[in-house]
Amino acid sequence: MRELHLKRQAEARIPTNLGEFNMITYADTSEDRMPDIAMVADGFDAQQPVTLRIHSECMTGDVFGSKRCDCGEQLQTALQITAAQGGVVIYLRQEGRGIGLIHKLKAYNLQDTGLNTIDANTHLGFDADARQYDAAIFILRDLGIQSVRLLTNNPDKVLALQRAGIEVVERMPILIAPQAESRNYLKTKADLMGHLMGEVL
Ligand SMILES: [Zn+2]
């Protein structure tokens, strides 16, 4: 676990076509070029269970619409739901399950030779999932959130929050229909990483 000295840095009103958000940046110093982010929707009330998505950065999916994964669509869906419900999207800068964009692209090349996403990461010398959620816990505490409706297919995220003393009153699945290019990736997450993908596969 990395040592956390996070502080709330700058924040600003960000109107979007889905609704209005307050974007709050968190980093050790204001010089950090990759702060973690909380997108707090209009109508947010920390006294109620808060609709929450914890999303790990996926440059290829979030920004460029890659079909290798469903991250971009999950993020859009999460922003839509949180905008409507006064919820929060926490955006963690842990690209490619924490291995970074360069290694992620190398792992993609290995997958194109037939390894699945977990084998590909392990092959490169990384844990299958190097993500840490301590930054998210810090942000939840900073926002005064004690109770959430969590948008996730990943039971590990529910456990991580519960272990930190955050009440999870509901797990709301985000199910995106797979495309030809993402089907194997989604199947690996369901079969080998315990993600609950419902009937979409
Ligand atoms: Zn992705």
Side-chain angles (χ1 to χ4, degrees), residues 1 7 23 34 66 68 72 118 134 142 155 171:
M1 191 181 290
K7 268 174 43 194
M23 179 185 276
M34 300 274 284
S66 164
R68 279 185 182 263
I118 296 175
D134 33 334
D142 182 71
R171 183 184 69 83

Side-chain angles (χ1 to χ4, degrees), residues 150-195:
L150 191 63
L151 283 160
T152 187
N153 303 323
N154 182 355
D156 285 349
K157 280 191 195 171
V158 175
L159 283 177
L161 293 190
Q162 286 171 336
R163 262 187 242 118
I166 309 279
E167 186 190 11
V168 181
V169 298
E170 187 184 352
R171 183 184 69 83
M172 308 186 340
I174 302 194
L175 299 176
I176 309 289
Q179 314 215 14
E181 295 270 9
S182 67
R183 188 175 296 272
N184 279 339
Y185 165 76
L186 297 176
K187 213 170 149 22
T188 298
K189 284 210 295 194
D191 293 348
L192 300 179
M193 299 173 75
H195 287 223

Side-chain angles (χ1 to χ4, degrees), residues 10-31:
E11 58 189 88
R13 190 178 60 85
I14 304 289
T16 75
N17 52 14
L18 299 170
E20 191 146 315
F21 290 86
N22 187 32
M23 179 185 276
I24 308 175
T25 48
Y26 291 87
D28 294 9
T29 76
S30 58
E31 299 313 305

Side-chain angles (χ1 to χ4, degrees), residues 49-67:
V50 174
T51 300
L52 174 72
R53 168 75 183 165
I54 300 174
H55 189 92
S56 294
E57 173 173 4
C58 172
M59 177 69 72
T60 47
D62 298 343
V63 177
F64 295 105
S66 164
K67 292 182 175 177

